[in-house]
């Protein structure tokens, strides 16, 4: 049988980029290509609408295989990441019972919070758990880390699993400073870290030097910020401890990165790839005994920053995308944050769903069978290098200013991340950043006050300190949620009436826009098929006891309809024009001051209406 050599697209003539560009510009009919199709990222670089082989031909990210230095394609030759669940029970015996239960349900990594770091607590937590086969991670107050490490090492030696154990103790001496601001970094960090490393020497698989950039991600940091600061954080561990006489290989092999994952799918894949590549090159400069020390051990945790209380099941879509990103990127372990975290301690149902989100990617999508599936993608490879460049700039700037620890102690890292957080909140308020169900397409009849069962997040070590410029830790949806909760608490829920009239297409479009706009405050929306006169519409609105009447028509018709409706209404309800017509200034001169349109700050506008309407 003759060999088939025909290629799939041989019948098509090759198309050059210039030809494609000319065709696109013709279709744009004079609109600027860069303004219409080129996306400026928050990370500081542009993203093109299409990428080609020529865009990556000179990139070095495609030169290595998975498991090869600099590990851009992964530190392993397989992708079977660990599925981690955080055990939230405070009582050790109760926590142990939950841990043993979830281990029968597919979990391969456990996370415990420890407040009493003694041998008895460790033994109670790990009773009946095979510590040679299950990764175990502990979080505690930094001042208790050494005592906990000694107790854990003794327990593992007593059970003869010290050589096989894999896990971590989250020693993060910056936690208090990040949460509470400048001046909270202990001067004895290096001494304590050296003592901690000495304590865990018998257990080679125990990582104890934490880089918890997930805290920065949950505080609203941009992707390049999280990565740049994470690298600087890790580099500080390397520098401080090697200068104190600790072997570089020993330090590198004790560092664990705990990173966040946002819903920016491709950017997050690129972030983790760039992280491994840059970290390997950083560690290489300390001349470790082998390249294996340059392998980044990275745990990923899906975002809390973009989770919402209203329409909370949308959190499942967000965390699924985030888990997908981390899995494709080849991280070592993943915690999928349960969807109900913003308003209560996760229950058994939400924890089960969170586990199953990972199992779906493994058992149904088989992502654990594919290594670096994004490798070679023109887009992802370009993003990897672009994010790496921006993160590297921040890394170098941080090092030049004295290092990450020093900048945290001065409050500069917190200030930079808080500035990003405020910018993102402004973008959410203006709908430049969309939170489905919160600032766009809300479920207007949903009530949430009754399901909120907890206050704000507490510091992991339960410490208290006067706030001196710590991270804001304010979810993106918080402002809109406060707005809706105020509406729920009001004695009378405001009614918004759509006075639809004139041009059919425009009135329908603007009524839909206005419904979404006012729905974000939880107001009752009354839509209509249309009216023949503004008088009919106003009378119908007043008959429904409307608090706000929104005139929905076309720009051309507003010049006549808006003054007629405003005059006839005569102050009996708030009057709003949907849109930003050319005649806006003329209408304002006649006393019409409220307009809703795509350039509005939705949050500020709705706050103003709440101040007027709520009693």
């Amino acid at each position: 049988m003759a060999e088939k050599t025909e290629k799939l697209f041989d019948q098509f003539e090759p198309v050059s980029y210039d030809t494609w560009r000319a065709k696109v510009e013709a279709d744009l009919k004079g609109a600027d290509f860069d303004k219409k199709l080129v996306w400026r990222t928050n990370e500081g670089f542009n993203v093109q609408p299409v990428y080609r082989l020529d865009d990556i031909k000179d990139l070095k990210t495609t030169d290595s295989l998975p498991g090869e230095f600099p590990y851009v394609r992964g530190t392993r030759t397989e992708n079977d990441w660990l599925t981690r669940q955080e055990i939230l029970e405070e009582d050790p015996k109760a926590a142990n019972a939950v841990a043993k239960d979830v281990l029968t349900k597919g979990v391969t990594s456990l996370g415990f919070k420890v407040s009493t770091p003694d041998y008895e607590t460790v033994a109670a937590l790990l009773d009946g758990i095979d510590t040679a086969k299950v990764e175990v991670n502990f979080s505690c107050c930094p001042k208790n880390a050494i005592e906990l490490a000694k107790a854990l090492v003794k327990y593992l030696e007593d059970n003869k699993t010290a050589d096989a154990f894999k896990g971590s103790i989250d020693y993060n001496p910056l936690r208090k400073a990040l949460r509470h601001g400048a001046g909270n970094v202990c001067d004895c960090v290096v001494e304590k870290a050296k003592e901690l490393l000495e304590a865990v020497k018998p257990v080679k698989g125990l990582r104890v030097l934490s880089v918890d950039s997930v805290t920065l991600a949950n505080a609203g940091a941009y992707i390049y910020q999280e990565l740049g600061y994470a690298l600087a954080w890790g580099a500080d561990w390397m520098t401080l401890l090697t200068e104190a006489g600790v072997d570089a290989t020993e330090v590198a092999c004790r560092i664990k990165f705990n990173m966040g994952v946002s819903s920016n799918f491709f950017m997050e894949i690129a972030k983790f790839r760039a992280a491994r590549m840059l970290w390997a090159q950083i560690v290489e400069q300390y001349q470790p005994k082998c390249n294996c020390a340059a392998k980044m051990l990275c745990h990923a945790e899906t975002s809390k920053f973009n989770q919402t209380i209203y329409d909370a099941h949308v959190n499942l879509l967000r965390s699924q995308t985030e888990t997908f990103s981390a899995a494709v990127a080849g991280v070592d372990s993943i915690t999928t944050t349960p969807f109900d975290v913003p308003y209560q301690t996760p229950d058994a149902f939400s924890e089960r769903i969170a586990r199953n989100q990972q199992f779906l990617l493994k058992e149904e999508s088989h992502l654990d069978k594919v290594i670096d599936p994004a490798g070679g993608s023109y887009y992802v490879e370009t993003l990897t290098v672009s994010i790496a460049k921006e993160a590297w700039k921040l890394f170098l700037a941080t090092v030049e200013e004295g290092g990450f620890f020093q900048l945290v102690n001065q409050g500069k890292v917190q200030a930079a991340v808080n500035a990003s957080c405020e910018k993102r909140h402004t973008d959410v308020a203006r709908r430049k950043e969309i939170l489905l169900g919160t600032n766009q397409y809300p479920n207007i009849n949903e009530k949430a006050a009754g399901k909120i069962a907890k206050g704000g997040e507490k510091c992991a070590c339960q410490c208290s300190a006067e706030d001196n410029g710590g991270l804001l830790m304010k979810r993106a949806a918080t402002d809109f949620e406060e707005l809706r909760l105020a509406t729920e608490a009001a004695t009378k829920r405001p009614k918004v009436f759509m006075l639809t009239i004139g041009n059919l297409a425009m009135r329908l479009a603007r009524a839909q826009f206005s419904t979404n706009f006012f729905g974000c405050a939880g107001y009752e929306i009354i839509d209509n098929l249309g009216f023949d006169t503004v008088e009919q519409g106003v009378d119908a609105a007043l008959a429904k006891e409307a608090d706000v009447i929104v005139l929905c028509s076309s720009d051309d018709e507003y010049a006549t309809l808006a003054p007629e409706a405003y005059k006839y209404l005569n102050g009996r309800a708030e009057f709003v024009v949907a849109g930003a017509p050319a005649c806006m200034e003329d209408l304002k001169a006649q006393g019409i001051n409220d307009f809703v349109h795509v350039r509005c700050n939705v949050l500020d506008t709705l706050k103003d209406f709440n101040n007027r309407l709520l009693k």
Side-chain angles (χ1 to χ4, degrees):
M1 185 175 180
E3 182 181 356
K4 292 185 178 180
T5 58
E6 181 182 4
K7 293 184 179 180
L8 183 60
F9 295 112
D10 273 356
Q11 63 268 42
F12 298 102
E13 290 291 328
V15 177
S16 69
Y17 175 79
D18 291 338
T19 302
W20 174 85
R21 175 76 178 252
K23 174 60 177 171
V24 171
E25 289 180 338
D27 290 345
L28 288 173
K29 299 178 180 178
D32 185 87
F33 178 91
D34 289 334
K35 289 184 178 179
K36 284 289 184 181
L37 298 180
V38 177
W39 168 36
R40 182 70 175 178
T41 70
N42 292 320
E43 277 51 55
F45 57 87
N46 291 337
V47 172
Q48 298 295 324
V50 65
Y51 287 92
R52 302 163 297 134
L53 179 61
D54 287 347
D55 293 306
I56 69 166
K57 65 180 181 180
D58 296 324
L59 301 184
K60 302 301 182 182
T61 55
T62 58
D63 291 349
S64 62
L65 295 173
E68 292 182 356
F69 187 91
Y71 310 114
V72 63
R73 303 202 61 196
T75 59
R76 312 185 304 278
T77 56
E78 44 77 27
N79 193 32
D80 190 13
W81 71 90
L82 299 176
T83 299
R84 178 165 158 182
Q85 180 166 326
E86 309 302 323
I87 309 301
L88 304 179
E89 279 70 14
E90 296 182 3
D91 177 73
K93 290 185 178 179
N96 173 260
V98 173
K100 288 192 287 188
D101 178 57
V102 299
L103 287 174
T104 67
K105 298 174 180 177
V107 166
T108 49
S109 175
L110 299 169
F112 292 109
K113 288 186 178 181
V114 177
S115 56
T116 306
D118 54 26
Y119 185 91
E120 289 72 21
T121 298
V122 171
L125 287 171
L126 300 181
D127 180 48
I129 294 174
D130 189 345
T131 50
K133 296 180 180 179
V134 179
E135 183 188 72
V136 184
N137 305 278
F138 298 90
S139 177
C140 68
C141 188
K143 65 183 180 182
N144 294 331
I146 296 173
E147 187 178 351
L148 174 60
K150 291 177 179 179
L152 176 60
V153 169
K154 185 177 187 308
Y155 177 84
L156 296 174
E157 289 179 331
D158 289 347
N159 285 271
K160 297 181 174 53
T161 56
D163 292 339
F165 180 81
K166 300 293 183 184
S168 67
I169 293 175
D170 183 25
Y171 176 56
N172 176 7
L174 305 184
R175 182 182 293 132
K176 188 174 181 180
L178 288 172
R179 289 298 184 94
H180 301 294
N184 279 301
V185 178
C186 177
D187 293 332
C188 55
V189 168
V190 175
E191 289 77 8
K192 286 185 175 295
K194 286 183 65 178
E195 187 178 351
L196 183 59
L197 292 179
E198 187 65 31
V200 300
K201 271 189 175 180
V203 185
K204 298 301 181 184
L206 179 55
R207 303 259 176 164
V208 293
L209 303 175
S210 292
V211 176
D212 286 334
S213 66
V214 61
T215 302
L216 307 180
N218 285 334
Y222 290 122
I223 290 172
Y224 84 96
Q225 280 183 310
E226 184 197 0
L227 177 53
Y229 283 139
L231 295 171
W233 193 337
D236 263 15
W237 278 130
M238 294 294 299
T239 300
L240 293 170
L241 288 167
T242 53
E243 288 180 351
V246 184
D247 179 71
T249 304
E250 173 69 10
V251 179
C253 291
R254 297 295 185 178
I255 296 174
K256 183 170 186 176
F257 287 78
N258 300 301
M259 303 184 75
V261 198
S262 73
S263 293
N264 198 330
F265 181 72
F266 289 106
M267 286 281 197
E268 289 291 353
I269 295 173
K271 179 188 78 177
F272 287 112
R273 300 176 87 246
R276 288 191 297 265
M277 176 179 68
L278 295 177
W279 179 244
Q281 294 175 33
I282 289 171
V283 173
E284 186 183 32
Q285 302 309 306
Y286 293 86
Q287 300 180 341
K289 296 174 183 176
C290 67
N291 278 344
C292 62
K295 292 182 178 182
M296 172 185 277
L297 184 68
C298 185
H299 173 69
E301 181 180 318
T302 64
S303 177
K304 293 179 182 176
F305 180 77
N306 62 14
Q307 287 194 318
T308 62
I309 292 175
Y310 287 91
D311 226 342
H313 289 97
V314 179
N315 293 335
L316 292 169
L317 304 180
R318 299 182 181 108
S319 59
Q320 188 67 57
T321 298
E322 293 158 3
T323 305
F324 192 3
S325 292
V328 170
V331 302
D332 296 282
S333 57
I334 303 174
T335 294
T336 302
T337 306
F339 73 88
D340 54 352
V341 161
Y343 57 88
Q344 67 177 16
T345 300
D347 58 24
F349 173 75
S350 65
E351 288 183 334
R352 176 188 176 192
I353 293 297
R355 293 192 299 269
N356 288 347
Q357 287 179 263
Q358 294 195 46
F359 300 153
L360 184 151
L361 296 178
K362 283 188 176 186
E363 305 302 330
E364 297 189 30
S365 301
H366 304 295
L367 290 185
D368 58 333
K369 304 296 191 296
V370 185
I371 309 167
D372 189 32
S377 160
Y378 306 153
Y379 182 40
V380 173
E381 295 291 359
T382 304
L383 282 184
T384 300
V385 173
S386 297
I387 289 177
K389 287 180 178 178
E390 296 304 318
W392 192 250
K393 291 177 187 176
L394 180 59
F395 167 77
L396 292 178
T398 303
V399 172
E400 288 171 4
E401 288 189 61
F404 186 75
F405 282 53
Q406 183 170 315
L407 263 60
V408 169
N409 204 36
Q410 294 171 355
K412 292 183 178 179
V413 170
Q414 298 91 316
V417 173
N418 286 344
S420 297
C421 179
E422 295 288 3
K423 174 62 167 58
R424 293 186 69 181
H425 275 267
T426 300
D427 287 346
V428 170
R430 302 184 70 89
R431 285 181 174 169
K432 290 183 179 179
E433 186 170 333
I434 298 299
L435 288 172
L436 190 66
T438 297
N439 70 346
Q440 185 70 286
Y441 303 119
N443 178 353
I444 61 176
N445 293 317
E446 181 183 4
K447 304 294 183 183
K451 70 180 183 182
I452 299 175
K454 70 173 186 176
E457 295 286 331
K458 294 182 179 180
C459 181
C461 58
Q462 304 298 313
C463 62
S464 61
E466 182 180 353
D467 192 343
N468 188 26
L471 295 173
L472 294 175
M473 304 307 296
K474 183 180 178 184
R475 288 179 298 105
T478 300
D479 295 327
F480 277 94
E481 289 167 355
E482 290 175 353
L483 197 70
R484 287 197 65 170
L485 290 170
T487 301
E488 285 190 41
T491 56
K492 179 179 180 294
R493 183 187 182 192
K495 294 181 180 180
V496 180
F497 187 95
M498 301 298 155
L499 199 168
T500 51
I501 189 170
N503 182 285
L504 180 61
M506 290 305 301
R507 78 191 191 198
L508 291 176
R510 281 177 162 156
Q512 183 182 44
F513 173 85
S514 301
T515 294
N516 285 327
F517 192 103
F518 286 99
C520 292
Y523 297 165
E524 179 181 347
I525 307 297
I526 304 172
D527 202 356
N528 299 281
L529 296 176
F531 298 95
D532 295 327
T533 67
V534 293
E535 290 81 6
Q536 289 179 355
V538 170
D539 289 341
L542 295 176
K544 294 285 189 178
E545 299 182 342
D547 300 286
V548 180
I549 297 175
V550 183
L551 183 64
C552 302
S553 190
S554 65
D555 286 2
D556 294 338
E557 294 169 293
Y558 280 145
T560 301
L561 295 176
E564 289 179 2
Y566 180 71
K567 183 177 180 181
Y568 184 72
L569 181 60
N570 194 28
R572 290 176 287 176
E574 301 291 341
F575 182 71
V576 179
V577 173
C583 62
M584 183 186 294
E585 293 305 317
D586 292 335
L587 296 179
K588 286 183 178 180
Q590 298 177 59
I592 301 172
N593 294 312
D594 291 314
F595 299 82
V596 294
H597 47 82
V598 293
R599 293 188 298 277
C600 277
N601 184 308
V602 181
L603 180 66
D604 287 349
T605 302
L606 293 176
K607 281 183 176 179
D608 180 45
F609 275 98
N610 261 16
N611 290 334
R612 297 187 226 172
L613 301 174
L614 299 189
K615 299 177 182 179

